[in-house]
Amino acid sequence: QVQLVESGGGLVQPGGSLRLSCAASRSIFSIYPMGWYRQAPGKQRELVAIIASGGKKIYADSVQGRFTISRDNAKMTVYLQMNSLKPEDTAVYYCNAHLDSENYWGQGTQVTVSS
C-alpha cells in the first residue's frame, strides 16, 4: 500500500505558475506509472501527466509544453510544475500511483486560475 498527500495548490492569475507536490508514504522507486490527474466541476477525471515505466513522460495535449512532471525517488515525491496557467486548468488535482495492480489516490489539491 501507499498513501499519497498532495500540496501546492491555490489561487493564481492567468499566466502564472504553481508547483504541485505529491509525497508518498513509502519508496516510489519501483512504482510505475505515477502521476497527476485532474477533475473540474461537472467533468470526468482526466489524465494530466504521468511517468510510465522506463521513465517515459506522458502529457495531455492540453498541457503539453506548459506542464512538467518530475520525480525525486530519494524524497519519495512526484512534482508537477505548471506554467502559463489558464482558467481552463482550474480543477482539483489528484496524485495517482499504480502499485501491485491497485490504483491509489491522494485527497486532491484545488487549483484555481482566475483574475
Side-chain angles (χ1 to χ4, degrees):
Q1 288 188 343
V2 60
Q3 283 76 49
L4 306 170
V5 179
E6 302 98 334
S7 62
L11 173 64
V12 63
Q13 292 187 342
S17 298
L18 283 175
R19 188 176 81 154
L20 305 183
S21 299
C22 171
S25 61
R26 51 150 283 171
S27 171
I28 63 171
F29 180 80
S30 61
I31 300 180
Y32 290 95
M34 192 168 179
W36 295 91
Y37 289 72
R38 68 186 180 187
Q39 188 166 18
K43 295 187 177 181
Q44 289 188 333
R45 192 171 297 190
E46 62 177 4
L47 181 147
V48 177
I50 59 169
I51 301 178
S53 59
K56 181 178 180 180
K57 299 178 180 180
I58 300 170
Y59 296 93
D61 289 344
S62 59
V63 308
Q64 184 77 44
R66 299 188 298 121
F67 291 11
T68 302
I69 188 171
S70 62
R71 61 194 284 160
D72 186 329
N73 290 339
K75 295 184 178 180
M76 303 188 298
T77 301
V78 175
Y79 303 98
L80 184 68
Q81 177 66 43
M82 305 186 295
N83 298 328
S84 302
L85 282 160
K86 304 175 181 180
E88 51 264 42
D89 295 318
T90 296
V92 178
Y93 284 69
Y94 296 92
C95 183
N96 172 267
H98 190 77
L99 175 64
D100 296 334
S101 300
E102 296 281 345
N103 257 327
Y104 294 89
W105 297 93
Q107 82 288 350
T109 185
Q110 176 71 46
V111 172
T112 302
V113 185
S114 175
S115 55

